Amino acid sequence: LGEYRTCSLGLLGVGLGLGGCQLLRLQPFHTALYLLNRIGAGVADTSVATIVALTSRGREARARNLALIQSTRAGARIVTPVLSGGLFDVSSNHSRGIFAAVPGSLPYLIVSTMLLTFAPLPLALRRISSSDLVTDIGGSGSSGRQQQPQK
């Protein structure tokens, strides 16, 4: 499949699994959707690191870019609980419409929608990288790696 398609499939898996878990709480479907979420997260996480490593120019750029990913994830673990807590509270205490049936689901549904919206992004990046237009942060020059377009 290649890194880019694998990343898109992983994002789709997380988006469908996360959103589905919130809307469908009947067993064994809830558990299956949770597993889809976790498998998608592992696939997307691994393929993002692979894409970054393959498209970075040289060892120093690769190390810097992978460190930026790790730092961004650490920052997200600080910020997202605060945002999610507020959204959870809104959807739990002010239950109207869909939230009356599934209280507390707003943060999960927002993230699920974002993931499903951004799932095609790795495929767009593949087109850009096959044109050799991808640059690492602060870098210049060619990637030093011949990329073959994936079919």
Side-chain angles (χ1 to χ4, degrees):
L1 286 174
E3 304 88 20
Y4 298 93
R5 286 184 184 151
T6 303
C7 186
S8 286
L9 287 174
L11 292 174
L12 283 172
V14 176
L16 292 172
L18 191 61
C21 269
Q22 293 308 303
L23 298 176
L24 185 61
R25 303 213 174 155
L26 180 66
Q27 292 296 345
F29 304 109
H30 182 80
T31 300
L33 288 166
Y34 177 78
L35 290 174
L36 177 64
N37 170 25
R38 299 314 310 149
I39 290 168
V43 168
D45 185 47
T46 303
S47 59
V48 165
T50 302
I51 290 169
V52 169
L54 291 176
T55 57
S56 296
R57 297 187 187 121
R59 293 178 67 184
E60 289 180 23
R62 181 174 42 247
R64 181 180 61 246
N65 292 339
L66 290 171
L68 284 170
I69 288 176
Q70 192 171 17
S71 297
T72 303
R73 289 177 182 162
R77 285 191 292 274
I78 295 168
V79 173
T80 56
V82 175
L83 296 174
S84 295
L87 291 170
F88 184 86
D89 186 50
V90 166
S91 63
S92 294
N93 296 330
H94 307 289
S95 298
R96 292 190 183 110
I98 191 172
F99 303 117
V102 192
S105 62
L106 184 60
Y108 301 99
L109 295 176
I110 288 175
V111 170
S112 176
T113 302
M114 290 174 63
L115 286 166
L116 294 173
T117 302
F118 292 128
L121 185 61
L123 300 176
L125 291 175
R126 180 185 72 182
R127 288 185 181 196
I128 292 170
S129 70
S130 67
S131 301
D132 205 27
L133 296 176
V134 171
T135 60
D136 61 277
I137 298 172
S140 63
S142 68
S143 65
R145 167 174 135 36
Q146 289 290 0
Q147 297 204 8
Q148 298 179 0
Q150 297 175 359
K151 296 181 182 178

